[in-house]
């Protein structure tokens, strides 16, 4: 099956620093990628839709200046959490749209902000 | 987005079939029915999807009601590795995938 690589898998950072998370589709081109956040024992919450070569579309309530998304190529999208605070601690997951109707997900990034 | 309703949890015995129900009474004609599953601390994994006809793949089968207002994911022989949260999601073609709470499946040896 298709593979989506997400890196890093775990990151611990100090409050006020920025963290970049990468999402790569390894064996297919993805014009659209999605970013999700998941808190413990809750479902995934869609944060934004990332389209290659254009600005991301953010869901209501998600601050675009805090969660910067760049989708510069057909195989790479990045999410940068700027000036991270403890409340940003969460499990972040990306997914990539293949040409058919299937979405493939990365393995997630556990962010802990101290 | 049209919503889905799933039981919070289900239990199954190993090597027995499992039928996971999903109600989606407000489904529109262009909505695909998708199933994903998620193991703890991992990203979701694609299971199966369909539009109108029943679908089979090596992981599972998807039975779609004639009026499309409900569907059932069938795992033919549950294994311990099938224990996960299963999400039934309606999705417009190439559109967003909005997750509900899903069904937590436990498999007993």
């Amino acid at each position: 099956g298709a593979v989506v690589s997400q890196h890093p898998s775990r990151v611990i950072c100090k409050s006020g620093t920025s963290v970049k998370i990468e999402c790569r589709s390894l064996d297919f081109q993805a014009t659209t990628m999605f970013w999700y956040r998941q808190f413990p024992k809750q479902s995934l919450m869609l944060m934004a839709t990332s389209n290659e070569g254009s600005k991301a579309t953010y869901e209501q309530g998600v601050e675009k200046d805090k969660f910067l998304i760049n989708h510069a190529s057909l195989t790479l999208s990045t999410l940068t959490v700027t000036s991270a605070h403890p409340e940003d601690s969460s499990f972040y997951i990306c997914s990539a749209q293949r040409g058919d109707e299937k979405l493939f997900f990365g393995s997630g990034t556990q962010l802990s902000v101290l | 987005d049209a919503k889905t309703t799933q039981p919070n949890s289900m239990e199954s015995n190993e090597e027995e079939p499992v039928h996971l129900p999903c109600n989606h009474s407000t489904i529109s004609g262009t909505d695909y029915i998708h199933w994903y599953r998620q193991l703890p601390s991992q990203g979701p994994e694609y299971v199966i999807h369909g539009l109108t006809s029943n679908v089979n793949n090596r992981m599972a089968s998807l039975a779609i009601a004639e009026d499309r207002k409900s569907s059932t994911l069938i795992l033919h022989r549950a294994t311990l590795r099938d224990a996960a949260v299963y999400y039934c999601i309606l999705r417009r073609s190439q559109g967003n995938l909005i997750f509900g709470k899903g069904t937590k499946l436990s498999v007993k040896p």
Side-chain angles (χ1 to χ4, degrees):
Chain A
V3 177
V4 173
S5 173
Q6 188 172 341
H7 180 81
S9 58
R10 181 177 295 272
V11 59
I12 301 172
C13 69
K14 291 182 179 179
S15 186
T17 61
S18 295
V19 174
K20 180 184 281 189
I21 302 169
E22 291 189 350
C23 180
R24 294 179 185 272
S25 55
L26 297 184
D27 53 358
F28 66 98
Q29 294 184 329
T31 54
T32 303
M33 290 186 177
F34 302 93
W35 287 94
Y36 292 85
R37 180 166 55 180
Q38 186 175 33
F39 293 106
K41 298 190 178 182
Q42 294 187 22
S43 187
L44 284 79
M45 185 190 80
L46 179 66
M47 298 176 67
T49 302
S50 166
N51 292 301
E52 187 266 336
S54 63
K55 290 183 180 180
T57 302
Y58 290 81
E59 295 298 302
Q60 194 171 14
V62 178
E63 299 174 58
K64 62 180 181 180
D65 294 329
K66 181 165 187 63
F67 299 100
L68 300 179
I69 292 172
N70 186 296
H71 193 162
S73 79
L74 288 172
T75 59
L76 174 65
S77 177
T78 61
L79 168 68
T80 301
V81 183
T82 63
S83 187
H85 290 284
E87 57 265 31
D88 298 322
S89 298
S90 187
F91 191 54
Y92 291 87
I93 308 168
C94 71
S95 68
Q97 172 73 57
R98 202 169 68 176
D100 53 17
E101 289 295 326
K102 298 176 183 177
L103 275 182
F104 295 91
F105 287 79
S107 54
T109 298
Q110 183 63 54
L111 171 63
S112 300
V113 184
L114 305 177
Chain B
D1 295 296
K3 292 185 184 272
T4 63
T5 304
Q6 299 177 253
N8 289 333
S9 62
M10 289 185 67
E11 275 192 355
S12 171
N13 294 317
E14 196 175 12
E15 298 192 2
E16 290 186 356
V18 182
H19 290 231
L20 297 166
C22 181
N23 287 317
H24 29 78
S25 58
T26 59
I27 191 171
S28 75
T30 55
D31 285 336
Y32 286 80
I33 301 162
H34 284 251
W35 284 83
Y36 285 77
R37 69 181 186 183
Q38 185 180 26
L39 278 66
S41 301
Q42 294 187 28
E45 174 188 27
Y46 169 84
V47 178
I48 201 166
H49 80 280
L51 185 61
T52 56
S53 304
N54 294 344
V55 184
N56 299 297
N57 65 24
R58 61 181 179 84
M59 287 183 72
S61 295
L62 175 61
I64 301 172
E66 199 169 329
D67 62 5
R68 299 209 325 128
K69 293 186 176 182
S70 65
S71 61
T72 302
L73 178 70
I74 303 166
L75 306 179
H76 296 286
R77 286 182 68 216
T79 70
L80 296 178
R81 289 180 298 176
D82 291 323
V85 178
Y86 286 78
Y87 296 98
C88 167
I89 306 166
L90 301 183
R91 182 184 186 217
R92 301 276 162 86
S93 179
Q94 309 284 312
N96 296 341
L97 207 64
I98 305 297
F99 286 78
K101 295 182 178 179
T103 296
K104 184 175 182 179
L105 175 66
S106 302
V107 180
K108 295 185 289 184

